[in-house]
Amino acid sequence: MRRLTTFALVLISTILFPLSVAAQKIELSIDASKPGAKIDRNIFGQFAEHLGHGIYDGIWVGPDSSIPNTRGIRNDVVVALKALKVPNVRWPGGCFADEYHWRNGIGPAEKRAVTLNPNWGGVIEPNTFGTHEFMDFIDQIGAEAYVSVNVGSGSTREAAEWLEYMTAAQPTTLEKERAGNGHPAPYKIGYLGIGNESWDCGGNMTPDYYLDELKIYSRFVRNFNPDQQNKHQMLKIAVGPGGEGARWMEWTETIMKAYQHHSWSWDINGLSMHSYTVVKWPPSYASMGFGETEYAQILKSTLAMDDLIKEHSAIMDKYDPEKKVALVVDEWGGWYAPLPGTNPGFLEQQNSMRDAILAALNLNIFAHHADRVRGANIAQMINVLQAMILTDKEKVVLTPTYYVFKMYVPFQDATFVPVAFDAGKCTHDDITLPRVDAVAARDAAGKLWLEITNLDPNQSAEIEASLTGINAKSASGETLTAPRVDSVNNFDAPNTVVPKPISAKIRDGKVTLKLEPKSVTVISVSP
Ligand code: AHR
């Protein structure tokens, strides 16, 4: 009876005092006369590892499949990804990259070595998706290649030969082999990852040990493509930190200190950083069927990305004040418990409205650090972790995260525009979140784009944005919201979380609009 009374009291107080404070007006002040850095389109990069159903089934079904495909690559997935204007795809891993031997993945499919994938479920790796198939895939979706070479269990020679195989134009033996395998023209490699998590699955190296390897790989793993010698040079990305704390500061410090005095014989253009939203390892939060507490905990955790970037940027600024070396967050996203009944090594999870908000918050953080963060790759593209697309045999579903990336396309290579606002607060239990988040940018045509995220799961937000440096005549866009924080798109109900049109009003030169609770909204303001 006593317990019942307590329960009733809790229930009544929850009804009377809902999750958040009452709706309030949020004023934004956008100054288009003070443009910032270019928001590099590469912050919208993707990551496709040989892991679970990420490559096999997700991208590659083989030319003989009944699933419509072009040279083995699923047509439905290509159509969906083209709409995202994916700037680059990081491949073949991840941890897989440090066990990948490229020769297994070239030549006639029936003669390719069949190997194992010990990192991810210990399953058979048929190697039917190799260099040529990857290049065909990125060509079909219009992306650039970000290739990670094997530092952990490979050799400099193996990596150097792979690059020669892919990029040589002169008639070397490797160039002829590539031509014989169907591609006479040299491939373009936009980005070269020198190892992956070399502090852990990539070989558990100390920063100094890795630094020595980095110098050797940077020197000898060359790109011979004649079109990449002056313009469009391949950018070399070193392994960087994997989180917060002294160990990671030391890693960044070691690489950047060496970079400051680097000789002609080695160089880097980027430092990678990996940071997943997990709250704590091993990942135990459910990706579906969760409540507002888990929603708030995950979003609180993901906002730590901002401090992490600040900490590592500060070290980079010390040794590279001209910001020549980009910070490339080439693994990020929500990492939850594997879906029940799936192979835990396949990292399969659902993707909810919470993930849409998580994605928007991180993209906004990257944009706010556009002068240093010039690359990022969400993990991972299809069927793995925070995916854009889920597939099941011939079926395909686009996730809430997919739609966020689609809505953000206008921000690719646009110029950052400062937005000042008091974000307000929304509180759940002892967790306080900003009520809104926002980012603005101007595209090459002069159009202003504004993204506003309403984190509050229950309260709508009235937005009033004043503009300097641009006269607003009209404003409209799209908004993504859902009935619940854990709403998902699945094969039976693929359109639960899809963007809908939203119109804004222009009043006294100010843009006003109402945001639904838990929503991501992008509007364009036309002068
Ligand atoms: O994305 C899954 C794994 O997470 C990657 O293979 C590895 O780099 C990271 O630990």
Side-chain angles (χ1 to χ4, degrees):
M1 178 65 186
R2 231 188 124 133
R3 285 182 62 189
L4 195 66
T5 312
T6 313
F7 175 73
L9 278 174
V10 169
L11 194 67
I12 290 163
S13 64
T14 309
I15 293 164
L16 290 179
F17 305 105
L19 182 72
S20 315
V21 295
Q24 67 188 71
K25 191 160 93 178
I26 305 275
E27 292 179 346
L28 309 181
S29 164
I30 303 167
D31 194 349
S33 68
K34 295 201 178 88
K38 184 179 87 170
I39 300 170
D40 199 309
R41 61 196 293 265
N42 285 304
I43 68 165
F44 300 94
Q46 302 279 336
F47 173 33
E49 180 168 12
H50 288 238
L51 192 173
H53 299 294
I55 301 284
Y56 299 108
D57 301 336
I59 296 172
W60 180 256
V61 287
D64 300 329
S65 171
S66 59
I67 297 171
N69 69 83
T70 301
R71 296 179 293 278
I73 294 160
R74 307 179 67 122
N75 293 344
D76 47 9
V77 159
V78 168
V79 168
L81 292 172
K82 270 172 102 165
L84 298 188
K85 298 196 188 302
V86 176
N88 73 77
V89 181
R90 181 170 179 256
W91 174 84
C95 299
F96 181 84
D98 279 301
E99 289 190 272
Y100 185 60
H101 301 288
W102 66 274
R103 279 206 157 276
N104 292 337
I106 59 165
E110 65 284 0
K111 291 203 177 136
R112 293 194 190 173
V114 173
T115 54
L116 290 171
N117 190 338
N119 277 296
W120 304 119
V123 295
I124 290 284
E125 167 55 58
N127 285 300
T128 41
F129 189 90
T131 303
H132 291 257
E133 292 76 21
F134 171 67
M135 292 297 178
D136 190 9
F137 168 60
I138 58 164
D139 194 42
Q140 289 189 36
I141 66 168
E144 282 195 292
Y146 176 176
V147 173
S148 287
V149 292
N150 182 343
V151 173
S153 69
S155 65
T156 323
R157 179 175 177 174
E158 183 187 12
E161 288 179 352
W162 192 13
L163 264 286
E164 184 189 326
Y165 176 85
M166 291 192 283
T167 64
Q170 289 162 290
T172 67
T173 302
L174 284 168
E175 186 272 346
K176 287 186 196 161
E177 191 177 3
R178 184 193 68 231
N181 285 332
H183 208 274
Y187 288 118
K188 183 175 176 226
I189 310 296
Y191 310 90
L192 181 79
I194 302 180
N196 170 76
E197 298 193 353
S198 303
W199 31 261
D200 190 36
C201 71
N204 224 315
M205 301 172 193
T206 63
D208 287 323
Y209 186 95
Y210 172 73
L211 178 63
D212 287 344
E213 292 283 323
L214 172 67
K215 290 175 181 171
I216 299 168
Y217 274 73
S218 168
R219 168 91 179 103
F220 297 112
V221 183
R222 300 169 195 262
N223 185 319
F224 295 103
N225 187 325
D227 294 338
Q228 293 196 263
Q229 300 311 305
N230 298 312
K231 286 199 285 183
H232 313 299
Q233 283 189 6
M234 179 177 79
L235 304 183
K236 298 175 185 176
I237 318 290
V239 168
E244 59 174 352
R247 179 186 176 203
W248 305 117
M249 308 291 261
E250 187 198 344
W251 189 281
T252 301
E253 183 84 30
T254 304
I255 307 298
M256 292 308 297
K257 193 171 179 181
Y259 166 81
Q260 185 184 30
H261 300 295
H262 77 94
S263 68
W264 67 269
S265 62
W266 74 279
D267 198 2
I268 55 170
N269 312 95
L271 183 73
S272 137
M273 182 168 91
H274 290 182
S275 177
Y276 287 96
T277 302
V278 282
V279 183
K280 61 179 180 347
W281 292 95
S284 56
Y285 278 63
S287 60
M288 53 193 293
F290 55 85
E292 289 177 2
T293 301
E294 292 90 335
Y295 169 83
Q297 285 167 334
I298 288 288
L299 295 188
K300 181 86 188 166
S301 170
T302 213
L303 287 167
M305 178 69 88
D306 191 45
D307 281 341
L308 199 57
I309 290 173
K310 282 184 186 142
E311 280 166 17
H312 290 281
S313 294
I315 301 173
M316 296 176 82
D317 287 349
K318 201 164 51 163
Y319 299 112
D320 172 33
E322 292 172 51
K323 299 186 194 294
K324 288 186 179 162
V325 178
L327 186 61
V328 180
V329 190
D330 54 13
E331 286 189 30
W332 68 274
W335 187 330
Y336 310 121
L339 285 176
T342 62
N343 183 332
F346 284 10
L347 311 186
E348 283 180 44
Q349 59 190 45
Q350 244 298 359
N351 193 295
S352 65
M353 187 62 220
R354 179 179 65 186
D355 293 297
I357 298 204
L358 185 156
L361 294 175
N362 280 280
L363 292 172
N364 292 359
I365 292 169
F366 301 152
H368 278 101
H369 294 282
D371 56 347
R372 181 66 83 179
V373 178
R374 300 194 292 271
N377 299 74
I378 190 167
Q380 298 193 5
M381 194 178 231
I382 302 169
N383 292 330
V384 177
L385 299 177
Q386 189 172 343
M388 304 293 117
I389 301 175
L390 305 177
T391 68
D392 180 15
K393 301 188 183 69
E394 76 290 350
K395 290 186 270 186
V396 151
V397 70
L398 306 178
T399 67
T401 302
Y402 173 90
Y403 289 114
V404 171
F405 271 69
K406 189 150 181 262
M407 290 162 73
Y408 271 75
V409 165
F411 287 86
Q412 294 196 9
D413 283 344
T415 304
F416 181 84
V417 166
V419 187
F421 59 100
D422 176 353
K425 286 178 192 166
C426 63
T427 304
H428 182 69
D429 295 341
D430 55 346
I431 308 157
T432 300
L433 294 170
R435 194 171 155 73
V436 296
D437 189 46
V439 71
R442 220 163 168 179
D443 68 16
K447 199 181 256 193
L448 182 79
W449 293 88
L450 173 65
E451 190 286 328
I452 319 165
T453 306
N454 182 4
L455 286 79
D456 195 309
N458 298 306
Q459 304 291 325
S460 53
E462 301 280 351
I463 302 295
E464 185 180 274
S466 62
L467 306 170
T468 306
I470 186 167
N471 286 323
K473 289 223 176 74
S474 63
S476 61
E478 285 188 316
T479 190
L480 186 72
T481 187
R484 299 161 51 94
V485 289
D486 64 339
S487 295
V488 299
N489 294 334
N490 57 36
F491 300 108
D492 298 325
N495 296 321
T496 305
V497 195
V498 292
K500 296 182 183 60
I502 185 170
S503 62
K505 293 197 177 91
I506 312 285
R507 200 184 299 145
D508 304 329
K510 291 179 177 169
V511 179
T512 62
L513 75 163
K514 184 177 174 191
L515 304 180
E516 292 297 314
K518 51 183 166 331
S519 61
V520 175
T521 303
V522 173
I523 60 164
S524 67
V525 179
S526 298

